[in-house]
């Protein structure tokens, strides 16, 4: 990965164009806003978390292709998962975004691996990680909105 065009892979473009779970959900137990003033990414993520499990998740808002694709891919990855599984996925993705984890298991990550290139672009790390920090707040039961600044 050494230029921005490589970063915008097909998966990211697809999820930007047709974001999955891009909606308000019926029975949200938590709703958290995430804002990245550096880029202008602003999302509201709705979570239905019951009995230690993410029953449903949906998001609304707008931002750059990276942030929207990241949010879309994240909703697919964590929907139906336990809090513990989602927490460890957050940790894994966080380490990938900040470049701490270079041994990326592309098979295990699947579509999420398309986000791994952002570690080469410091300005884009906040875009990719914004939805994940919002998720983490929901998982640890914090109600505060997220801002990357
Ligand atoms: Zn952005």
């Amino acid at each position: 990965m050494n230029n921005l065009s490589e970063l915008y892979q097909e998966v990211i473009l697809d999820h930007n164009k047709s974001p999955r779970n891009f909606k308000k959900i019926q029975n949200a137990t938590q709703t958290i806003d995430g804002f990245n003033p550096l880029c202008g990414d602003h999302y509201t993520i709705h979570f239905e978390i019951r009995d230690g499990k993410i029953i449903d998740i949906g998001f609304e808002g707008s931002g750059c292709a990276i942030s929207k694709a990241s949010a879309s891919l994240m909703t697919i990855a964590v929907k139906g998962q336990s809090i513990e599984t989602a927490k460890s996925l957050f940790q894994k993705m966080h380490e990938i975004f900040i470049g701490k984890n270079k041994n990326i298991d592309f098979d295990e990550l699947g579509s999420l691996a398309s986000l791994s290139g952002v570690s080469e672009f410091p300005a884009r790390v906040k875009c990719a990680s914004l939805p994940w920090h919002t998720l983490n707040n929901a998982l640890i039961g914090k109600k505060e909105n997220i801002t990357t600044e």
Side-chain angles (χ1 to χ4, degrees):
M1 293 268 171
N2 42 30
N3 69 55
L4 201 62
S5 66
E6 283 179 86
L7 178 63
Y8 288 85
Q9 295 165 17
E10 224 168 284
V11 177
I12 290 173
L13 291 172
D14 173 46
H15 281 265
N16 177 51
K17 202 175 149 202
S18 327
R20 318 304 197 268
N21 301 305
F22 192 67
K23 59 179 196 291
K24 197 170 179 172
I25 60 170
Q26 285 288 311
N27 302 302
T29 54
Q30 287 180 79
T31 291
I32 299 178
D33 261 39
F35 181 44
N36 172 16
L38 215 65
C39 180
D41 310 316
H42 196 175
Y43 296 99
T44 300
I45 307 188
H46 309 280
F47 303 88
E48 183 185 354
I49 301 176
R50 292 181 205 280
D51 305 322
K53 203 172 157 183
I54 301 170
I55 309 288
D56 203 1
I57 179 169
F59 75 106
E60 301 170 289
S62 61
C64 67
I66 297 286
S67 63
K68 190 174 274 183
S70 184
S72 174
L73 288 161
M74 179 187 83
T75 61
I76 296 169
V78 303
K79 191 172 171 177
Q81 300 292 342
S82 69
I83 289 178
E84 288 315 307
T85 302
K87 272 184 185 167
S88 70
L89 192 59
F90 162 75
Q91 199 56 42
K92 187 172 287 179
M93 293 307 290
H94 180 62
E95 287 177 3
I96 288 171
F97 292 151
I98 63 173
K100 210 175 135 193
N101 182 356
K102 301 274 188 194
N103 301 315
I104 298 153
D105 185 337
F106 289 93
D107 287 339
E108 188 202 333
L109 285 177
S111 298
L112 287 173
S114 66
L115 298 167
S116 62
V118 299
S119 65
E120 305 291 324
F121 303 92
R124 312 303 273 170
V125 169
K126 287 178 177 174
C127 302
S129 63
L130 177 67
W132 295 86
H133 283 293
T134 311
L135 166 73
N136 191 49
N137 253 19
L139 295 174
I140 61 180
K142 276 173 112 179
K143 299 217 187 303
E144 285 90 35
N145 295 329
I146 291 282
T147 175
T148 55
E149 291 303 298

